[in-house]
Amino acid sequence: MRVIVQPDGDSIASLVAESIVRLVNDKPNAVLGFATGSSPLGIYRELIKAYQEGKVSFKDAWGFQLDEYVGLPADHPELYRNVIRTVIESHVDFSEGRVHAPNGTADDLQAAGPAYDTMIEDAGGVDFQILGIGTDGHIAFNEPGSSFSQGTHVETLTPQTREDNARFFDGDISRVPTHTLTQGLGTIMKAKKLVLVAEGEGKAEAIAQLIEGPVSAHWPATIMQHHADATVLIDEAAASKLE
Ligand code: F6R
């Protein structure tokens, strides 16, 4: 696993966006894996800028989101499908029907998981997966104790994650959904390249476990140590508990 420490989030975002622009220019039908939350927002801003400057086009590319809340109404601004529309998709030129998220309102959520994995495979598999990390070491919404081999599935959010995400729901934890439909660690590990970004002291313990801890389901992100092409980009604060 490559670890790159940068002075701030802006430099992390530029580095990651440059590498995505290179990929899409080399492979116009590249399959991009989108994370939500605050960590990747700078990357999306840089990608929009590159598109507006004519440096890249996404018209033949694909996007697959990592996860989706279960049970939020279709017009809810925090529905991850809507978030990705707002923060990147509506500002660039993805072709209609090329960006997808797990269907958190499916009647049969158990079937929706494998169906999503099949869609990813049919598009050729994820070339470049952007990841954030939870304070409890989750990636996508694979909480501590998750299986390393699972595909897309329903996951119960821990109280810690719901508390962390309450900031997106006016600070009211009772409004944060209790379940998500999330790519499993098995799905994520199939991506050809993993790039995890994290900033701030609050992520320092999860980052120390990710980079220096044993591979353990207690810290789900540690499975990335077994990926052949995984990079972690962090600022000084997130790196502060590394030895
Ligand atoms: C969201 C996701 C989560 C977040 C993680 C960190 O799609 O996959 O794993 O990346 O919860 O969230 P932020 O970036 O908001 O700290």
Side-chain angles (χ1 to χ4, degrees):
M1 201 157 56
R2 286 205 311 158
V3 180
I4 301 174
V5 181
Q6 287 290 304
D8 53 42
D10 287 347
S11 8
I12 294 173
S14 305
L15 280 179
V16 178
E18 275 164 25
S19 131
I20 294 173
V21 167
R22 263 198 309 276
L23 166 69
V24 176
N25 283 326
D26 287 350
K27 183 182 179 187
N29 66 344
V31 180
L32 306 177
F34 293 137
T36 34
S38 35
S39 306
L41 292 177
I43 301 171
Y44 299 146
R45 278 194 295 271
E46 288 296 318
L47 289 177
I48 293 167
K49 203 166 122 212
Y51 167 73
Q52 287 170 345
E53 289 169 355
K55 293 180 180 156
V56 66
S57 165
F58 297 95
K59 79 179 170 46
D60 295 322
W62 294 85
F64 284 91
Q65 297 185 215
L66 274 178
D67 38 26
E68 184 57 276
Y69 286 121
V70 169
L72 282 187
D75 60 350
H76 197 291
E78 289 306 324
L79 189 77
Y80 279 172
R81 187 69 195 86
N82 293 337
V83 171
I84 288 296
R85 279 199 185 97
T86 306
V87 299
I88 173 137
E89 192 184 344
S90 63
H91 303 277
V92 299
D93 63 342
F94 279 105
S95 301
E96 193 62 33
R98 287 294 184 112
V99 180
H100 297 278
N103 181 3
T105 52
D107 289 336
D108 185 348
L109 287 168
Q110 305 308 326
Y116 192 64
D117 290 334
T118 302
M119 277 177 78
I120 296 174
E121 277 161 32
D122 288 349
V126 172
D127 291 297
F128 192 113
Q129 179 62 59
I130 302 168
L131 295 167
I133 188 168
T135 54
D136 63 0
H138 68 236
I139 50 174
F141 278 124
N142 295 280
E143 296 284 28
S146 293
S147 145
F148 284 151
S149 57
Q150 224 172 355
T152 299
H153 65 283
V154 176
E155 182 87 15
T156 307
L157 293 178
T158 60
Q160 173 71 62
T161 298
R162 293 183 66 228
E163 196 179 309
D164 289 346
N165 285 6
R167 69 191 194 281
F168 297 115
F169 293 83
D170 297 327
D172 181 356
I173 191 172
S174 71
R175 292 171 55 192
V176 183
T178 52
H179 292 80
T180 65
L181 187 60
T182 179
Q183 285 190 30
L185 297 171
T187 321
I188 294 169
M189 288 292 284
K190 283 186 189 156
K192 292 167 195 101
K193 184 179 190 65
L194 302 181
V195 175
L196 184 143
V197 295
E199 284 170 56
E201 174 76 37
K203 300 289 173 73
E205 177 63 21
I207 289 295
Q209 293 291 338
L210 164 62
I211 295 167
E212 292 168 352
V215 174
S216 157
H218 288 301
W219 294 92
T222 55
I223 189 60
M224 287 176 64
Q225 293 178 22
H226 288 319
H227 196 281
D229 184 356
T231 305
V232 177
L233 290 106
I234 46 181
D235 68 358
E236 303 277 356
S240 60
K241 290 195 176 161
L242 292 174
E243 282 179 7

